[in-house]
Structure formats: C-alpha cells, structure tokens
C-alpha cells in the first residue's frame, strides 16, 4: 500500500476526554474516529487490525470445533421477555419499536437467540454436543462509555454457546474454550491472567475471566504468587483477619459524637483505630432495605452481598431520606442495635470485641459493642472487598492485587436459558432431559485497544506482528533522490511479492515526519533507503529495537521475511 493514498489522518492533539494511552494513540494514529459517545468508526488501519484479531479468534474457534453462524443485531423482544432479561438489562438495552409498534432491541448478548436457534433446528440428542459462535456487533447503552473502544456502546464481540447432554459434556466443552482462549490471547501478544469470576447473578456453576494486566483496567484482580490462585475482586473469598481488640467484657455505653459522621472523623474524635469501628450501610435490595456491616477499615463487596441476598437488581445505597426514616437519625449514625431491618454482617465482625457502632440517633454512637450480646445479625458471611495483604484462601499465602481489562469471559451457564425457553431432548430411553449450556465471550474491539494499552511507548504503538495493520514499511529517506526512490520501490515490490504486507512511504515529506508516523502507527519492521544506498546499505529497524542497524540492501527481503515469519 502506498502511503500517498492511505487514509491515515494522524493527529498531533487529541481531545482531553481521551484519558488513557490506547484511546489517545488510536485517535492519533488514525485508527478510529468518534461519531458519538461510545460509538466509533474504524478507518483503514484500525479495520485491518480489527480483522486480524477477528481472524485469530475465528481460527482458534474453528480449531476447537465450534461452528460459526451469524445472527441479526436487530432482535424481536420475545426471547428476552421469556428469559426475563428484557427487564433485567434495564437502561443498558437499546430498545425500539417497528412501524407496527412491535418491540425490538439491539442485541447486547445472544444467549436467548442461540437457545432458540437450537430449539428450532436440532431434532435429536445425537446432534449434541454442539458449540456455535458468531463474531458480531453488540449494543449496550453503557452508563459511562469511556476509554475509546474499551467501553463503548457499539462493539464487536465473539460470542459462543455450547450445548451438552450432561454436566460432564459441559465440562469438556468449557475446557476446549478455555484452551482456545489461552491460544487466542497468546497469539494476540497480550500479557494476561485467567481469574475466577463471579457466576452468582447468572446462576451458573463456574466462570473465569481473561484479564489483560493494566493499571487503567476497571477490574481488580487478587492473586497469590505462592500457589497461582487468581480471582477477580467480586469473587475472591476473604479470610477474616484478627487485629488488636480492646479486651475484656466491657459494658455497653452510649456516647456523644457530635459531627462525627465518617470513620475518619470518629477515629479522630475518639482516638481509636478504624478497625475498632463497624460500619453499618443501608442498601436498597429490589423492593426492600437491608443493612450490611463491615469493619471500619473495610469495604462492602456489593456483588457478594447481592448474591447472598439473592436480589434481581444491583444493590443501591439507600436514599438519605430512607436512611433517616429507618434510623431515626441523620445519615452517618446507623448501627445494628434495634435497627429493624435485616442485618448482614461480615465474618470479621464476629472477631471484633468492644467496638463502636452508630446508635441510630443523631450525634450518638455506642461503644463496647459485642455481637450476640448486644445485637444478632440475620446473616454472617463473607461480604467484604479483598485487600492486598489478605490471606490467600487457597494456600494461606499473601494476596496481592492489580488492575486488569476484561477481554474474555467463559461461563458454565447450566440450564438457566434452556429451562426458561424450553430446550429439551429425549434421551436414548425416551426420557425428557434439559440441555446444559455454556457461554463464552471475547471483546474483539476491546482486544485491539487492550493490545495498544499494553504495547506502546512514548512514540506510539508497538504492534505485535500477528495483528499489525501492515507488517513492514519501506521509507525512501529523501523523496527527491531518484535512486533512493527507485531502490525503495523495488524493495517494496519484492517484499510484497514475498507475501509481506508492506507499506511504502512515498509521500513528499521530510524523513523525520515519516519516521515519526511509522513509529506512531506501530509497523513492526522498517527499512530506510537513505544516503548509504551508494554503498549498497540500508537501515533496518524493528519497532521494538532501540536503534537501527545497517544491512546490505541485498539482504533486506530475507531479513524482513525471516523476522515476520518468526513472529507471526
Ligand atoms: P464489563 O464487566 O467490562 O462491563 P461484561 O462482563 O458485562 O463486561 P460480558 O457480557 O462478559 O461483558 O461480555 C463479553 C466480553 O465483551 C467482555 O469480556 C468484554 O471483553 C466485552 N465487552 C463487554 N462490554 C463491552 C463494552 N461496553 N465495550 C467493549 N467491549 C465490551
Ligand atoms: Mg463479563
């Protein structure tokens, strides 16, 4: 491809809303352009990379025995109404009506449709097991679209669904996808971790996420170097930690704590430590209210709590007016004694002695509180957020944490959708059974951004060969020097003939501009035909190398080809 013809609108300045490197670089390198919040077009270089990612995903899905099909993105409401998700998705589902006033949506994910497809088209148990997939555009009206295509409202997903006769079959189908995912993310050049994920809300029996490690990731990963355990924050089981307590059987005492609404203010005014307090937080859980208690220096893990409560919607903090109503006090003085709503206490609260809680009275707290003597929670369970330094739930080692970008998710669904929609089969003996499902997603467009996020330097993107929009670039240093231009053209033709996807920078620009652009768009290998051409020498530089090396022009095709073949 000739760069004089290439639609590659590189930018020097990017909008301030581009907060992270991948978003800035994808805009600067002319890969994407924004149309509206969370909605992007892919320009030629961006699309080439996107297609390469798609192809790697497709090859590995096919290798794992999955079959590709393609469904519509514009979907009738019925299947989602049958599963209950027409309501569950809430405002994140794009809903619309046709001219006949019938309900439709733009598909956010396709469990229901694939289930229906199998109901309609599979007639005998002998046709199972079966894994179907598509690479298709999804729509979610995200509350906070951001980070470019990492969290967008229109994005490409590979979604696969497995259909098995029994649990053992599901385990095997799941393992095949697990292995395929490992191959995919390795081929994409990503540094990733597989973590145990929460499966509560979807009602399945097991789930793992593939996380690309990155400080800008929105998901917390807890891991243990000693045994290799890794889980996302929502899932990671917390082992209660003992800390210094105030010993003795001290009598309950009500104390005045004017203007101390927060743990920090209490620590300051009472001269105690945060772990001597217990927070009581009131949540709205569907149509009722509950209280959660954790130690003062801990946070409530709302996903764990939601699973425990078993509610449909995500938990919401209760409105201040409701808190005032329930506690008969200003916000900041809620406590477990005589509260009048169900109390879910974290396991660590059980280990606490003579601690401080709100007194359900403005400007008042209780001290020397002891669980069971002064109040009895309805449920005691692990409901807190894991922290660095916690004990590993598997081996007792030390938990560390880092941030990650979720690029893939695999999930043992069980019978949630087959039950809801009626996907059954008659077994050998004529008995009716329910098909067992798994689902497996990859954020294809998110993978492109995650790769840029992980693989860049101050000068631009450093594409791995496998997904680079072009593999090599030939640059005649001086576009006015006919010999340089001719030699560069010849090299370009030879590389192209050798099967290397090559760019030639034939623009009437200074060499410096061309080098900057080649670095910015991240082409894995660059050959500059410059002054030393008269000695038969050109400059060879892999994008990841510090500086260029001189090589004979006659070796250039072989050297580039060898590098590309070794790294594809
Ligand atoms: P997240 O927690 O990031 O919102 P999710 O768990 O809702 O994602 P899934 O339903 O598991 O997402 O979708 C499968 C994959 O699709 C995710 O692993 C992710 O890579 C990708 N994905 C999900 N939402 C978006 C989005 N808004 N923009 C881009 N990719 C997305
Ligand atoms: Mg997910």
């Amino acid at each position: 491809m000739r760069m004089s013809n290439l639609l590659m609108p590189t930018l020097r300045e990017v909008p301030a809303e581009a907060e992270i490197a991948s978003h800035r670089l994808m805009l600067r390198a002319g890969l994407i352009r924004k149309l509206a919040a969370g909605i992007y077009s892919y320009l030629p270089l961006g699309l080439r990379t996107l297609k390469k990612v798609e192809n790697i995903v497709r090859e590995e899905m096919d290798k794992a025995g999955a079959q590709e099909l393609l469904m519509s993105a514009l979907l009738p409401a019925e299947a989602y109404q049958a599963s209950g998700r027409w309501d569950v998705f809430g405002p994140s589902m794009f809903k619309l009506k046709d001219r006949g006033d019938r309900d439709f949506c733009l598909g956010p994910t396709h469990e229901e449709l694939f289930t229906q497809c199998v109901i309609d088209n599979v007639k005998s148990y002998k046709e199972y097991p079966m894994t179907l997939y598509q690479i298709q555009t999804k729509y979610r009206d995200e509350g906070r679209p951001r980070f470019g295509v990492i969290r967008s409202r229109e994005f490409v997903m590979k979604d696969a669904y497995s259909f098995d006769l029994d649990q053992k079959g599901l385990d095997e189908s799941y393992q095949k996808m697990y292995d395929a995912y490992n191959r995919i993310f390795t081929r994409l050049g990503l540094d990733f971790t597989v973590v145990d994920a929460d499966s509560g809300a979807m009602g399945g029996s097991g789930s793992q996420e593939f996380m690309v490690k990155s400080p800008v990731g929105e998901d917390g990963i807890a891991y243990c170097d000693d045994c290799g355990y890794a889980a996302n924050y929502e899932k990671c089981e917390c082992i209660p930690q003992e800390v210094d307590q105030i010993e003795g059987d001290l009598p309950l005492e009500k104390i005045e704590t004017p203007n101390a609404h927060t743990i920090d203010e209490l620590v300051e005014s009472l001269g105690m430590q945060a772990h001597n307090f217990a927070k009581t937080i009131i949540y709205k859980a569907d149509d009722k209210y509950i209280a959660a208690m954790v130690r003062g220096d801990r946070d409530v893990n709302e996903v764990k709590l939601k699973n425990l409560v078993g509610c449909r919607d995500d938990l919401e903090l209760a409105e201040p007016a409701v808190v005032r109503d329930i506690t008969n006090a200003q916000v900041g003085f809620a406590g477990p004694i005589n509260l009048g709503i169900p109390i879910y206490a974290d396991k660590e609260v059980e280990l606490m002695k003579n601690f401080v809680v709100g007194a359900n009275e403005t400007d008042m707290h209780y001290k020397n509180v002891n669980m069971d003597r002064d109040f009895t929670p309805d449920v005691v369970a692990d409901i807190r957020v894991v922290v660095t330094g916690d004990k590993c739930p598997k081996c007792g080692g030390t938990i560390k944490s880092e941030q990650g970008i979720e690029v893939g998710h695999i999930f043992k669904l069980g019978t949630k959708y087959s039950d809801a929609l009626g996907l059954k089969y008659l077994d050998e003996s004529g008995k009716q059974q329910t098909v067992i499902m798994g689902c497996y997603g990859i954020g294809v467009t998110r993978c492109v951004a995650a790769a840029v996020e992980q693989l860049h330097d101050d000068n631009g993107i450093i594409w791995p060969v496998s997904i680079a929009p072009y593999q090599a670039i030939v640059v005649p240093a001086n576009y006015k020097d006919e010999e340089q231009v001719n030699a560069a053209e010849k090299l370009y033709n030879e590389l192209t003939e050798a099967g290397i996807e090559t760019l030639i920078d034939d623009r009437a620009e200074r060499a410096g501009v061309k080098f900057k652009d080649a670095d910015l768009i991240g082409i894995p290998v660059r050959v500059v035909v410059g002054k030393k051409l008269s000695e038969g020498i050109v400059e060879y530089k892999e994008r990841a190398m510090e500086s260029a090396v001189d090589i004979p022009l006659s070796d250039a095709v072989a050297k580039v080809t060898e590098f590309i073949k070794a790294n594809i």
Side-chain angles (χ1 to χ4, degrees):
M1 179 73 204
R2 299 185 165 278
M3 286 180 73
S4 56
N5 285 335
L6 182 64
L7 178 61
M8 187 193 77
T10 54
L11 297 175
R12 270 207 208 120
E13 304 280 324
V14 289
E17 68 174 31
E19 300 164 65
I20 61 168
S22 58
H23 190 187
R24 284 196 294 272
L25 285 171
M26 289 180 76
L27 288 169
R28 277 186 55 206
L31 307 185
I32 55 169
R33 281 296 179 266
K34 178 175 157 180
L35 290 175
I39 302 179
Y40 290 87
S41 311
Y42 285 80
L43 300 186
L45 289 180
L47 184 64
R48 283 182 72 95
T49 290
L50 177 58
K51 291 283 169 207
K52 288 194 174 184
V53 175
E54 281 184 18
N55 280 336
I56 288 174
V57 171
R58 181 173 286 114
E59 278 174 24
E60 295 300 339
M61 283 294 114
D62 292 348
K63 228 187 265 173
Q67 303 173 59
E68 184 170 7
L69 53 72
L70 181 61
M71 288 202 180
S72 167
L74 178 61
L75 300 167
E78 285 76 16
Y80 291 97
Q81 285 163 342
S83 73
R85 289 210 291 183
W86 185 255
D87 296 324
V88 170
F89 277 114
S92 59
M93 191 185 238
F94 279 102
K95 292 180 178 168
L96 60 156
K97 286 191 186 284
D98 71 2
R99 61 173 72 199
D101 209 33
R102 283 175 292 257
D103 285 317
F104 283 81
C105 68
L106 297 176
T109 174
H110 277 65
E111 279 77 5
E112 288 83 348
L113 281 300
F114 275 73
T115 309
Q116 194 59 50
C117 172
V118 173
I119 293 176
D120 293 342
N121 299 300
V122 175
K123 296 297 168 217
S124 157
Y125 75 92
K126 291 183 187 148
E127 294 175 64
Y128 297 106
M130 184 182 288
T131 297
L132 302 172
Y133 79 96
Q134 63 177 346
I135 297 175
Q136 191 245 16
T137 306
K138 297 280 186 273
Y139 296 86
R140 295 183 185 179
D141 197 357
E142 297 276 358
R144 225 182 136 204
R146 60 187 194 141
F147 295 163
V149 298
I150 286 195
R151 183 165 300 285
S152 50
R153 298 197 293 169
E154 181 189 76
F155 58 97
V156 178
M157 196 203 283
K158 183 286 299 174
D159 47 329
Y161 306 87
S162 64
F163 300 88
D164 277 281
L165 298 177
D166 51 28
Q167 185 64 39
K168 188 166 157 278
L170 170 61
D171 293 344
E172 281 163 18
S173 299
Y174 184 91
Q175 185 64 37
K176 280 189 193 149
M177 288 293 123
Y178 176 90
D179 294 340
Y181 274 44
N182 276 293
R183 292 195 299 269
I184 289 167
F185 296 121
T186 304
R187 286 182 63 186
L188 296 182
L190 297 171
D191 178 14
F192 65 98
T193 317
V194 190
V195 304
D196 289 346
D198 171 60
S199 55
M202 296 272 274
S205 59
S207 160
Q208 285 165 302
E209 285 167 352
F210 289 73
M211 296 282 191
V212 166
K213 297 174 203 160
S214 162
V216 304
E218 294 176 286
D219 294 292
I221 306 172
Y223 66 96
C224 170
D225 280 334
D226 294 345
C227 70
Y229 171 82
N232 72 20
Y233 271 22
E234 279 79 45
K235 174 76 179 176
C236 185
E237 185 194 335
C238 296
I239 306 299
Q241 305 289 304
E242 302 254 10
V243 277
D244 284 348
Q245 296 291 336
I246 302 161
E247 292 301 329
D249 188 16
L250 306 178
L252 183 68
E253 200 182 312
K254 201 187 249 184
I255 50 171
E256 282 193 37
T257 51
N259 299 320
H261 304 76
T262 64
I263 293 293
D264 286 347
E265 287 162 356
L266 282 167
V267 165
E268 176 81 29
S269 77
L270 296 182
M272 293 167 139
Q273 302 214 46
H275 64 242
N276 297 125
F277 298 84
K279 299 188 228 186
T280 306
I281 298 160
I282 301 180
Y283 286 100
K284 184 167 188 282
D286 293 342
D287 41 16
K288 60 178 189 174
Y289 291 93
I290 57 154
M293 284 184 78
V294 289
R295 220 169 69 187
D297 55 342
R298 305 301 202 197
D299 289 309
V300 175
N301 181 327
E302 293 177 5
V303 173
K304 285 184 187 171
L305 183 58
K306 176 187 171 185
N307 292 340
L308 196 65
V309 177
C311 51
R312 186 190 61 231
D313 298 336
D314 286 347
L315 295 171
E316 281 173 42
L317 284 178
E319 298 282 326
V322 175
V323 175
R324 285 196 290 271
D325 214 38
I326 291 174
T327 62
N328 292 315
Q330 290 301 318
V331 174
F333 299 95
I337 301 176
N338 301 324
L339 186 59
I341 56 171
I343 297 173
Y344 291 76
D346 182 64
K347 280 182 176 173
E348 278 183 343
V349 177
E350 243 176 349
L351 302 178
M352 295 175 71
K353 289 182 193 141
N354 301 310
F355 54 101
V356 177
V357 300
N360 299 322
E361 200 179 321
T362 301
D363 290 341
M364 301 298 271
H365 277 80
Y366 281 116
K367 69 186 246 193
N368 302 333
V369 177
N370 288 288
M371 195 169 121
D372 294 333
R373 186 190 72 181
D374 302 319
F375 73 99
T376 310
D378 299 78
V379 180
V380 178
D382 166 25
I383 59 164
R384 74 173 170 94
V385 177
V386 65
V387 292
T388 303
D390 259 324
K391 278 208 169 69
C392 169
K394 212 165 145 196
C395 76
T398 306
I399 287 289
K400 293 185 188 161
S401 59
E402 69 184 321
Q403 294 303 112
I405 302 169
E406 179 193 322
V407 287
H409 192 173
I410 56 178
F411 207 116
K412 291 183 183 174
L413 282 172
T415 59
K416 180 177 160 107
Y417 295 94
S418 26
D419 276 336
L421 295 154
L423 173 53
K424 313 266 182 204
Y425 66 93
L426 293 179
D427 68 13
E428 266 172 312
S429 59
K431 212 171 125 211
Q432 197 177 57
Q433 309 270 11
T434 306
V435 172
I436 300 188
M437 290 174 57
C439 71
Y440 315 91
I442 289 182
V444 178
T445 38
R446 187 180 279 185
C447 282
V448 174
V452 177
E453 196 57 49
Q454 240 178 18
L455 302 163
H456 71 267
D457 62 14
D458 290 345
N459 299 323
I461 303 169
I462 308 176
W463 287 119
V465 172
S466 60
I467 57 172
Y470 288 89
Q471 296 165 332
I473 179 166
V474 177
V475 183
N478 180 357
Y479 66 92
K480 291 179 187 153
D481 181 323
E482 209 173 314
E483 275 175 37
Q484 283 183 22
V485 170
N486 289 342
E489 289 284 348
K490 186 161 173 275
L491 179 58
Y492 165 66
N493 287 331
E494 285 168 0
L495 282 168
T496 306
E497 267 160 40
I500 304 298
E501 299 167 9
T502 311
L503 284 172
I504 180 162
D505 197 342
D506 57 343
R507 297 175 300 170
E509 292 282 359
R510 284 184 297 110
V513 171
K514 296 183 181 183
F515 297 163
K516 274 215 163 68
D517 279 347
D519 278 355
L520 176 61
I521 64 175
I523 305 305
V525 55
R526 184 186 83 191
V527 181
V528 178
V529 182
K531 283 201 187 107
K532 289 194 187 159
L533 177 67
S534 53
E535 302 158 42
I537 298 290
V538 293
E539 271 182 24
Y540 171 94
K541 183 175 175 298
E542 290 157 21
R543 176 64 180 83
M545 281 172 20
E546 270 302 308
S547 46
V549 290
D550 286 347
I551 59 165
L553 172 60
S554 53
D555 288 356
V557 174
K559 182 127 172 100
V560 170
T561 310
E562 191 188 333
F563 169 72
I564 297 298
K565 296 267 142 69
N567 288 282
I568 194 99

